[in-house]
Amino acid sequence: PGGGGGYGGQQAYSEERKSARRVADHYSARSNQTLEERENSPIIHLKKLNNWIKSVLVQLYARPGDCVLDLACGKGGDLIKWDKAKVGYYVGVDIAEGSIKDCMTRYNGDTDQQRRKKFSFPARLICADCYETRLDEYLSDDAPFDICSCQFAMHYSWSTEARARQALANISALLRPGGTFIGTMPDANVIIKRLRETEAMEFGNSVYCITFGEEYAEKKFPASRPFGIKYKFHLEDAVDCPEWVVPFHLFKLLAEEYDLELVLMKNFHEFVNEYLQKPEFADLMRRLGALGDGRQGQSTLSQDEWEVSYLYLAFVLRKRGPPPSQ
Ligand code: SAM
């Protein structure tokens, strides 16, 4: 990967590869849940809320006919959102082989009923490390993309400066001028604030736990070393792997170096409060059932799940330059 990389030598590099592998193996090993297992998940409402947030981003920024690049696409949980937005073409990339296989199955339809109702857009799925590989070499026939999405995954690039730069270089190289980059990732301000509020090196509640190593015992994070700040994230029924703090102001500055300008950044709580005011999104929330109103025995997000959602933010960046004339 090109650019930067001023922190650590060969040993650090191979450590990073091991960490990336651990993340990939963790997600690869997570098998598809049955509908019943999903509904019984202790974080079912959080999952629904996350889906609502991603749907709002897609509905706000995707246009019919768009070419979509879904970085760290996982099992293809967003395919339906892109279908509803009537996009024209979809490329999904993920490091986890198991997830790409599941995504392929979901795209092709894994039941007779689904098979009859195919997605309306052609798709290409690729297994690759989005933060190490020069994706433009793979995707020269597919680019440029109108919109790039990286949901709940950008922070896996922040283990080294070189990886963070490769992630942004890929996005910038593949988006058309005026193209949009939408995403969600942990909110470093909230995570560091929570860490400093506790005596211990870990914090959490009944559904999540974040643990920092003793090397951060002073709870100081010098601006001169903004990459590779690792913590362990455990989220019941979802995640159990190393993650990296992404100081958002540095993410914004680095993105600017790659011609990606910030359009929007909102913590999930602010995002929910703002977009829930819009009738069409309030209606979608009702249909997804993330925030039941307690009537007719409808369950709703628990306080602990709501606390987890505060750990995340949504962002939108735009690639500099005028869109090509029609
Ligand atoms: N974007 C999907 C979604 O919102 O449902 C999946 C999110 S899941 C929390 C994080 C995903 O990031 C996993 O599928 C994982 O395999 C992927 N990932 C992590 N590091 C990656 C990398 N270096 N390159 C590509 N994908 C990566």
Side-chain angles (χ1 to χ4, degrees), residues 23 27 54 72 74 94-96 128-131 151-153 156 163:
V23 171
Y27 283 105
K54 292 191 287 180
D94 200 283
I95 193 173
D129 185 334
C130 300
Y131 313 141
Q151 303 298 339
F152 298 102
Y156 294 118
R163 286 173 70 79

Side-chain angles (χ1 to χ4, degrees), residues 20 23-28 50-51 54 70-78 81 93-97 99-100 106 126-133 149-157 163 184 238-239 243-244 312:
V23 171
D25 290 345
H26 165 72
Y27 283 105
S28 253
N50 289 344
N51 272 320
K54 292 191 287 180
D70 191 356
L71 291 185
C73 61
K75 297 170 187 300
D78 294 342
K81 301 174 186 66
V93 190
D94 200 283
I95 193 173
E97 303 83 351
S99 300
I100 285 292
R106 182 170 278 170
I126 296 169
C127 187
D129 185 334
C130 300
Y131 313 141
E132 187 171 318
T133 317
S149 171
C150 185
Q151 303 298 339
F152 298 102
M154 199 66 204
H155 51 300
Y156 294 118
S157 75
R163 286 173 70 79
T184 45
V239 188
E243 300 200 342
W244 289 268
Y312 289 88

Side-chain angles (χ1 to χ4, degrees), residues 32-273:
N32 264 338
Q33 290 184 311
T34 62
L35 203 59
E36 194 183 350
E37 282 167 343
R38 190 178 138 78
E39 284 301 319
N40 287 330
S41 166
I43 55 158
I44 178 63
H45 293 95
L46 178 65
K47 288 180 181 175
K48 289 177 176 178
L49 185 74
N50 289 344
N51 272 320
W52 178 83
I53 289 171
K54 292 191 287 180
S55 297
V56 171
L57 283 173
V58 168
Q59 286 184 29
L60 286 173
Y61 292 99
R63 299 280 166 268
D66 270 0
C67 274
V68 181
L69 174 63
D70 191 356
L71 291 185
C73 61
K75 297 170 187 300
D78 294 342
L79 283 168
I80 291 177
K81 301 174 186 66
W82 296 113
D83 205 32
K84 287 193 176 139
K86 299 187 168 56
V87 300
Y89 183 51
Y90 173 95
V91 175
V93 190
D94 200 283
I95 193 173
E97 303 83 351
S99 300
I100 285 292
K101 274 193 198 139
D102 287 347
C103 188
M104 193 91 78
T105 307
R106 182 170 278 170
Y107 177 76
N108 288 324
D110 48 6
T111 65
D112 284 344
Q113 197 190 2
Q114 284 174 350
R115 236 173 256 133
R116 278 197 297 276
K117 201 177 136 294
K118 284 236 172 90
F119 289 99
S120 54
F121 49 83
R124 189 174 167 203
L125 300 172
I126 296 169
C127 187
D129 185 334
C130 300
Y131 313 141
E132 187 171 318
T133 317
R134 270 198 62 172
L135 290 179
D136 54 339
E137 288 175 1
Y138 282 83
L139 296 174
S140 54
D141 289 344
D142 307 83
F145 292 86
D146 302 291
I147 184 161
C148 172
S149 171
C150 185
Q151 303 298 339
F152 298 102
M154 199 66 204
H155 51 300
Y156 294 118
S157 75
W158 218 258
S159 54
T160 64
E161 182 176 357
R163 286 173 70 79
R165 283 185 179 275
Q166 188 60 57
L168 292 166
N170 279 337
I171 295 158
S172 183
L174 292 166
L175 269 182
R176 65 160 167 79
T180 311
F181 173 34
I182 58 175
T184 45
M185 68 177 166
D187 186 332
N189 281 335
V190 174
I191 291 175
I192 301 301
K193 185 166 166 278
R194 285 270 186 274
L195 176 68
R196 288 180 176 149
E197 279 166 2
T198 163
E199 296 268 294
M201 291 307 289
E202 66 178 34
F203 56 94
N205 62 29
S206 69
V207 290
Y208 87 97
C209 180
I210 287 183
T211 312
F212 280 82
E214 283 305 323
E215 64 271 35
Y216 301 114
E218 287 187 23
K219 302 186 179 177
K220 286 188 185 147
F221 301 93
S224 55
R225 278 184 284 125
F227 301 93
I229 305 171
K230 183 152 81 175
Y231 58 89
K232 191 169 163 278
F233 184 52
H234 170 81
L235 178 63
E236 272 306 286
D237 193 36
V239 188
D240 211 350
C241 65
E243 300 200 342
W244 289 268
V245 170
V246 184
F248 195 84
H249 62 288
L250 287 174
F251 173 71
K252 174 180 176 283
L253 283 178
L254 205 63
E256 277 168 10
E257 285 188 34
Y258 293 88
D259 285 336
L260 297 164
E261 287 176 333
L262 186 67
V263 173
L264 172 150
M265 186 282 267
K266 284 182 199 299
N267 178 277
F268 272 15
H269 280 195
E270 189 190 353
F271 191 98
V272 172
N273 289 330

